[in-house]
Amino acid sequence: MVIEFSKYHGLGNDFILIDNRHSAEPIVTPEQAIQICDRHFGIGGDGVIFALPGKEGTDYTMRIYNSDGSEPEMCGNGIRCLAKFIADLEGKSEVNKTYKIHTLAGVITPQMQANGYVKVDMGTPFLTAAEIPTTLSTAEDKVIAQPLEVAGKTWDVTCVSTGNPHCITFVENSDAIALEQIGTLFEHHPVFPQRINTEFIQVVKPDYMKMRVWERGAGITLACGTGACASVVAGVLNSKCDRFCTVELPGGCLQIEWSATNNRVYMTGAAQQVFQGKYSL
Ligand SMILES: N[C@H](CCC[C@H](N)C(=O)O)C(=O)O
């Protein structure tokens, strides 16, 4: 089977996007997604994203497979890429156009901005141990600055779900973290029954933080949108940052706001198409 695809990235977090509007199920299997994402034997990417028909009153449905074939609930950089992909498919790019996208994390609404960026209402964060999920605290308790032993060191971690699970720890120097060695130890730690995305945050000033990330199902990526949102929520919960914060990732910057008025998180950033092609499965 030959599939047509478009390659997009959000701050270097890169995805293969597939027009799946003619089928209610993804036309590529998780096993095929692993092959497609391989950077030597396939197209190369952090994941595969499908634009499926909308349901329950939404315009489209987003499904995504990580590069290890697992299916996460949501992807922040990915949904900005999807919004751009949809505008390209529909042959129009309307400033302030908002798409209603059905995801496994609920209905998410990306809005096209005049400067070409995309602003996304990411919904409300989930903070109890049961909602992450994690066994680090009792089910109905929040997980804020809790000790977690990883690689012979005790880390103070705060857990936030943005539809997908995140573990955030604040460090003096995010560049000094040996992500290659410890990222997978966090991801597969037994206190995270659905694995975890882990963010290492250096707060430069109250409205500016640096972030590095080890993603569940993808490893080290250049950016993580849901992770940036979760990190600002964790920063506010730990009184380390403002509710409106710039997050600098290796691939670029995102503007994140955790609204004090409606408890929703907003993410604004770029998303770009880099090439299109056909791939033989
Ligand atoms: N690897 C993540 C999904 C992609 C999230 C990230 N790429 C983003 O931009 O939010 C997970 O399994 O939860």
Side-chain angles (χ1 to χ4, degrees), residues 133-148:
T134 181
T135 56
L136 256 178
S137 298
T138 48
E140 66 282 1
D141 287 349
K142 293 179 182 159
V143 184
I144 299 175
Q146 292 296 307
L148 179 65

Side-chain angles (χ1 to χ4, degrees), residues 10 13-15 46-47 49 64-68 70-80 122 162-166 187 194-197 199 211 213-219 221 223-229 254 267:
N13 188 203
D14 61 340
F15 303 97
D46 293 324
I49 292 177
I64 170 175
Y65 295 144
N66 285 314
S67 55
D68 75 347
S70 61
E71 180 170 8
E73 303 81 354
M74 230 313 261
C75 179
N77 289 318
I79 204 157
R80 298 199 315 277
M122 299 287 281
T162 52
N164 59 342
H166 296 271
E187 178 182 0
Q194 292 180 13
R195 298 187 288 162
I196 198 82
N197 299 286
E199 288 80 18
M211 172 179 140
V213 60
W214 177 280
E215 286 197 35
R216 175 182 65 170
T221 63
C224 178
T226 51
C229 294
L254 289 170
M267 168 190 65

Side-chain angles (χ1 to χ4, degrees), residues 7-19:
K7 184 79 189 302
Y8 283 74
H9 76 87
L11 312 185
N13 188 203
D14 61 340
F15 303 97
I16 295 99
L17 275 91
I18 293 174
D19 178 1

Side-chain angles (χ1 to χ4, degrees), residues 206-207 232 236 240-245 256:
D207 67 351
V232 171
V236 172
K240 291 181 182 290
C241 78
D242 298 340
R243 281 182 170 270
F244 194 98
C245 196
I256 309 294

